[in-house]
Amino acid sequence: ADAFLESLANDHGDPGWRDAISRTARPYAFIKFDMIIQRKRRDFVDPTSRQNTTKLNEDLADIQSIMKKNINEVLNRGEKLENVSNISNSLVSESKKFKWGAKKLSWQAMLNQYAPIAAAGVFVIFVLYMKFFW
């Protein structure tokens, strides 16, 4: 319906058609265009007309190109998602290594902080043991 009206407007549309309609005194003043409108209507209704098949083929070609574009975009997204998945898996393994390294470093820091105190405590106990029980 839109294509039919658009075709009528393009083929016989005068830029000042609104002014012509507003100045018309009789409602049947544009009856001369009835034959043109009826011919256009027959062309649009007839499925075997060359213009309709051409228009239909153009529309199908447009739809096909859009669908190909959409399928290619979906395939590219799949590849990108696969790359993101691989990157996230490597990130998980690296984070596990980092976690182990952080625990090891924390243990070494604690050892550096409390080892001298523990060694001094053991030395004092050893000296007391030697003095009283030896």
Side-chain angles (χ1 to χ4, degrees):
D2 289 336
F4 173 68
L5 293 175
E6 186 177 314
S7 174
L8 277 176
N10 289 340
D11 291 347
H12 304 290
D14 182 16
W17 64 273
R18 290 183 191 248
D19 294 333
I21 290 173
S22 64
R23 287 182 281 146
T24 304
R26 300 171 304 193
Y28 52 87
F30 296 104
I31 199 86
K32 61 185 176 186
F33 292 114
D34 187 47
M35 287 178 38
I36 296 168
I37 293 172
Q38 292 304 322
R39 190 176 330 119
K40 277 285 187 190
R41 187 179 62 80
R42 276 193 303 271
D43 287 344
F44 268 85
V45 171
D46 184 17
T48 60
S49 75
R50 183 169 177 84
Q51 186 179 12
N52 281 347
T53 54
T54 304
K55 178 71 171 152
L56 184 62
N57 286 335
E58 289 174 0
D59 289 346
L60 287 175
D62 289 344
I63 290 170
Q64 184 180 16
S65 67
I66 290 170
M67 291 302 292
K68 283 181 181 180
K69 179 182 170 189
N70 288 344
I71 288 171
N72 286 335
E73 287 177 359
V74 167
L75 291 175
N76 288 339
R77 281 188 205 142
E79 291 173 1
K80 289 178 183 176
L81 286 175
E82 191 174 309
N83 289 340
V84 168
S85 175
N86 291 338
I87 291 171
S88 72
N89 287 337
S90 68
L91 186 62
V92 166
S93 67
E94 292 297 321
S95 68
K96 286 180 182 177
K97 290 178 187 176
F98 179 76
K99 183 178 178 182
W100 171 249
K103 282 183 180 180
K104 186 176 175 183
L105 189 62
S106 173
W107 176 255
Q108 286 177 351
M110 187 175 68
L111 187 64
N112 286 339
Q113 183 178 3
Y114 296 115
I117 297 171
V122 169
F123 181 72
V124 168
I125 291 174
F126 179 70
V127 168
L128 289 176
Y129 177 75
M130 292 298 279
K131 184 172 185 173
F132 292 112
F133 296 110
W134 217 193

